[in-house]
Amino acid sequence: MSSKTVTLGKIEKRLREFEKKYNMISSEFQKKYHSGELLKRYPPEAEEWHGDFLEWAGEYRSYKRIHPMMTLVTILN
């Protein structure tokens, strides 16, 4: 198993954890995060979610970059 596969697996696992914790799929989170809609549900003074959302956004961004490449590698092999 390549290190890219392990990294992708870790990212997918982390995304599933956030999705379960916040009851929202990552693509929906991403849209709401960037539109500011999440601030209606999670006010700034409730800091416990802030770190999660930053990490979730970063993990999702990484997933969107790595996943297509891994799919192409799988197809070509």
Side-chain angles (χ1 to χ4, degrees):
M1 186 179 301
S2 75
S3 62
K4 288 183 182 178
T5 303
V6 172
T7 301
L8 183 60
K10 286 181 181 180
I11 291 170
E12 289 172 333
K13 180 179 185 247
R14 200 67 185 122
L15 291 175
R16 286 191 302 272
E17 291 168 356
F18 286 126
E19 289 172 347
K20 183 177 180 182
K21 182 175 182 177
Y22 292 100
N23 195 32
M24 180 183 331
I25 62 172
S26 291
S27 58
E28 178 184 356
F29 159 77
Q30 190 73 1
K31 288 175 192 171
K32 290 180 178 184
Y33 179 75
H34 287 289
S35 73
E37 188 177 335
L38 289 175
L39 289 176
K40 295 174 189 171
R41 187 194 271 176
Y42 301 97
E45 60 273 6
E47 294 180 17
E48 66 274 359
W49 57 265
H50 186 72
D52 280 354
F53 285 3
L54 288 174
E55 185 178 348
W56 193 357
E59 293 285 6
Y60 189 68
R61 199 170 32 255
S62 295
Y63 174 81
K64 294 298 280 182
R65 264 195 325 261
I66 295 171
H67 187 264
M69 291 184 289
M70 292 304 297
T71 301
L72 181 60
V73 167
T74 301
I75 291 169
L76 294 175
N77 286 329

